[in-house]
Amino acid sequence: MTQPNADKAVFAGGESLADQILEVIVSEGKIDRARATPDATLESLEIQSIDIVMILMVIEEKFGVYVPIDGSIAEAKDLNGFMQQIESRILAERA
């Protein structure tokens, strides 16, 4: 999955930040990685609100940042938008 900020943020193990976020989403959302396309909606991936809470809790633990479920996260309509919101929070915390 190519993300606009992916090239700017490479962390542990050489994986991009976007790849690490996607891995958390796939794992915690219990979705098939092949279905995790940028334009897939959270609904089409059957990611429920409890899954979002779990995803954000793992993101918080993994990256040491708090990502609240606020308007921008809650309003994300597709996987790309959801990931960009998480990525921007992580990068803002690390700046």
Side-chain angles (χ1 to χ4, degrees), residues 15-34:
E15 285 188 329
S16 72
L17 178 57
D19 286 340
Q20 293 178 59
I21 293 169
L22 180 60
E23 186 62 38
V24 171
I25 293 170
V26 166
S27 175
E28 295 304 315
K30 298 175 179 60
I31 59 175
D32 181 353
R33 192 174 185 119

